[in-house]
Amino acid sequence: MNKKLMVFLLVLLVGGCKHETSFEDVQSYYNEMVKYQGTYKYEADFGGVFEFVCQYEYDNGKGRLTVLSPEEIMGITAVSDSTGQYLEFEDISIKTYLPDDREAAPASAIHRLINDIRTKKPLLITETETLELTYESGEYTKIATLSKEDYAILSCEIFCNGDRILNITLQ
């Protein structure tokens, strides 16, 4: 075997191959995605820190966030879709009439992140063991961490004027 080939194979064996994930692959995955779900812990800081655990389900453009804890608000569901946002509990559904520019609203944060991934190129893409996407919108900065294996949302942090106001992590 020639010496150059041996050195190349040795470098390949020791260093391995580095595969970079293209954002187009991620965007294509989210554009083709019909269903998604995960259980997330939320830490919201709007002058006081609120913690809760929610089940998020995405199905054909509709996001459903159901509170699992704390017990006092367990079962309340927020629904986000192209017609707006609704709060549901048992057999009651109320349209919230909240403005569409609520980047940091815990009820719609993951739904908005999915829409951002589908429609916007991130300001910054950082690739390590995970894929980190940074988006900016006015006074808000959103940093999402995705799994490189299946593009699952592992976490999402939202900052307002540099202060973290929402931290969401996959449970």
Side-chain angles (χ1 to χ4, degrees), residues 17 19-20 39 43 46 49 60 66 91 94 119-120 141-142 145:
C17 294
H19 170 73
E20 294 208 12
T39 301
E43 295 172 357
F46 297 104
V49 177
N60 276 333
T66 303
D91 60 348
I94 301 168
T119 61
K120 299 177 184 175
T141 301
K142 186 181 309 181
T145 304

Coordinates of all heavy atoms in Angstrom, one line a residue, residues 17 19-20 39 43 46 49 60 66 91 94 119-120 141-142 145:
C17 N -14.9 11.1 10.4 CA -15.5 12.0 9.4 C -16.4 13.0 10.2 O -17.2 12.6 11.0 CB -16.4 11.2 8.4 SG -15.4 10.1 7.4
H19 N -19.5 15.2 9.9 CA -20.7 15.5 9.0 C -21.4 16.7 9.6 O -21.8 16.8 10.7 CB -21.7 14.3 9.1 CG -23.0 14.6 8.4 ND1 -23.1 14.8 7.1 CD2 -24.2 14.8 9.0 CE1 -24.4 15.0 6.8 NE2 -25.1 15.1 7.9
E20 N -21.5 17.7 8.8 CA -22.2 18.9 9.2 C -23.6 18.9 8.7 O -23.9 18.5 7.6 CB -21.5 20.2 8.6 CG -20.1 20.3 9.2 CD -19.7 21.8 9.2 OE1 -20.5 22.7 9.0 OE2 -18.5 22.0 9.5
T39 N -42.6 16.4 26.3 CA -43.0 16.9 27.6 C -41.8 17.9 28.0 O -40.7 17.5 27.9 CB -43.1 15.8 28.6 OG1 -44.1 14.9 28.2 CG2 -43.4 16.4 30.0
E43 N -39.6 27.4 32.6 CA -39.3 28.4 33.7 C -39.5 29.8 33.1 O -38.7 30.2 32.2 CB -37.8 28.2 34.1 CG -37.6 26.9 34.8 CD -36.1 26.6 35.1 OE1 -35.3 27.5 34.7 OE2 -35.8 25.6 35.6
F46 N -41.2 36.6 34.5 CA -41.8 37.9 34.2 C -42.0 38.7 35.4 O -43.1 39.1 35.8 CB -43.2 37.6 33.5 CG -43.1 36.9 32.2 CD1 -43.4 35.5 32.1 CD2 -42.6 37.5 31.0 CE1 -43.3 34.8 30.9 CE2 -42.5 36.8 29.8 CZ -42.8 35.5 29.8
V49 N -40.6 34.1 39.1 CA -40.3 32.9 38.4 C -41.4 31.9 38.6 O -41.8 31.6 39.7 CB -38.9 32.3 38.8 CG1 -38.7 31.0 38.1 CG2 -37.8 33.3 38.6
N60 N -50.5 18.7 12.3 CA -50.9 19.4 11.1 C -51.2 20.9 11.3 O -52.2 21.4 10.9 CB -52.2 18.8 10.5 CG -51.9 17.6 9.6 OD1 -50.8 17.5 9.0 ND2 -52.8 16.6 9.6
T66 N -50.6 21.3 27.0 CA -51.4 21.0 28.2 C -50.6 21.0 29.4 O -49.5 20.3 29.5 CB -52.1 19.6 28.0 OG1 -52.8 19.6 26.8 CG2 -53.0 19.3 29.1
D91 N -64.8 21.2 28.8 CA -65.5 21.4 27.6 C -65.7 22.9 27.2 O -66.5 23.3 26.4 CB -66.9 20.8 27.7 CG -67.7 21.3 28.8 OD1 -67.2 22.0 29.7 OD2 -68.9 21.0 28.8
I94 N -62.0 29.2 25.0 CA -62.1 30.7 24.9 C -60.9 31.2 24.0 O -59.8 30.9 24.2 CB -61.9 31.3 26.3 CG1 -63.0 30.7 27.3 CG2 -61.9 32.8 26.3 CD1 -62.7 31.1 28.7
T119 N -39.9 28.7 8.4 CA -40.1 29.8 7.5 C -38.9 30.8 7.5 O -38.8 31.7 6.7 CB -41.3 30.6 7.8 OG1 -41.3 31.1 9.2 CG2 -42.6 29.8 7.6
K120 N -38.0 30.7 8.5 CA -36.9 31.7 8.7 C -35.6 31.0 8.7 O -35.4 30.0 9.3 CB -37.1 32.5 9.9 CG -38.4 33.3 10.0 CD -38.5 34.0 11.3 CE -39.8 34.8 11.5 NZ -39.9 35.4 12.8
T141 N -34.5 37.6 21.5 CA -33.6 36.7 21.0 C -34.0 35.3 21.4 O -34.3 35.1 22.6 CB -32.2 36.9 21.4 OG1 -31.8 38.3 21.1 CG2 -31.2 35.9 20.9
K142 N -34.1 34.4 20.5 CA -34.5 33.0 20.8 C -33.4 32.1 20.4 O -32.9 32.1 19.3 CB -35.8 32.7 19.9 CG -36.4 31.4 20.2 CD -37.6 31.2 19.2 CE -38.6 32.3 19.2 NZ -39.7 32.1 18.4
T145 N -32.1 24.7 20.9 CA -31.1 23.6 20.8 C -31.9 22.3 20.3 O -32.9 21.9 20.9 CB -30.4 23.3 22.1 OG1 -29.8 24.5 22.6 CG2 -29.4 22.2 22.0

